[in-house]
């Protein structure tokens, strides 16, 4: 049929209205993030994300000569962003405090995280009520 109203198969006028998607059964997404000149990176709750030069091992890939292949590990646990230096050559810092290799340290919201020469601002979502 040319020039006429297109035929809609199986769709009623009520179904054609745009509806809100159903709520996420797993609740709202609450990731910690770091962002800087190299980009914005998400750290989901319960995950360990490695940062470094080796893209095969690291979810946060940083192309700098002064970043080790696997430089640091980040994890978001109990509404805190934790960072561990992986015995890197040029260190990992939270607000100018060098981290001890192999030990977890808290990176508070609004702090500055330095992985070699790469600087990032730390964002941690607020703990929702009842969580």
């Amino acid at each position: 049929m040319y020039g006429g109203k297109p035929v809609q198969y199986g769709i009623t006028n009520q179904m054609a209205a745009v509806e809100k998607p159903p709520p996420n059964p797993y609740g709202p997404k609450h990731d910690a993030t770091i962002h800087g000149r190299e980009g914005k990176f998400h750290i989901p709750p319960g995950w360990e994300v490695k940062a470094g030069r080796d893209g095969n091992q690291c979810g946060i890939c940083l192309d700098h000569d002064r970043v080790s292949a696997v430089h640091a590990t980040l994890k978001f646990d109990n509404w805190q962003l934790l960072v561990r230096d992986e015995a890197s050559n040029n260190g990992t810092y939270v607000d100018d405090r060098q981290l001890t290799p192999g030990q977890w340290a808290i990176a508070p919201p609004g702090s500055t995280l330095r992985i070699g020469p790469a600087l990032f601002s730390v964002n941690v979502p607020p703990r929702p009520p009842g969580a």
Side-chain angles (χ1 to χ4, degrees):
M1 168 185 301
Y2 294 102
K5 187 175 179 183
V7 178
Q8 292 183 334
Y9 296 101
I11 299 177
T12 66
N13 287 338
Q14 292 173 346
M15 292 172 66
V18 177
E19 296 179 20
K20 283 185 175 180
N24 184 343
Y26 304 106
K29 189 172 183 178
H30 295 290
D31 293 351
T33 58
I34 59 170
H35 62 90
R37 200 177 85 216
E38 287 76 11
K40 182 175 183 178
F41 301 96
H42 293 263
I43 301 92
W47 287 34
E48 289 190 7
V49 179
K50 295 187 183 311
R53 226 178 37 246
D54 185 348
N56 291 323
Q57 298 183 66
C58 299
I60 299 171
C61 191
L62 304 171
D63 188 24
H64 288 283
D65 291 341
R66 294 185 1 227
V67 171
S68 298
V70 178
H71 197 102
T73 302
L74 291 79
K75 75 175 172 180
F76 182 40
D77 188 37
N78 199 25
W79 301 98
Q80 294 181 323
L81 182 63
L82 303 171
V83 182
R84 180 179 64 205
D85 182 79
E86 299 295 344
S88 65
N89 290 329
N90 291 296
T92 304
Y93 298 78
V94 173
D95 286 337
D96 296 324
R97 181 179 56 89
Q98 186 170 7
L99 304 184
T100 303
Q103 295 183 6
W104 290 106
I106 296 172
S111 63
T112 300
L113 172 64
R114 183 160 60 96
I115 301 171
L119 293 173
F120 296 95
S121 177
V122 174
N123 292 300
V124 177
R127 181 187 301 263

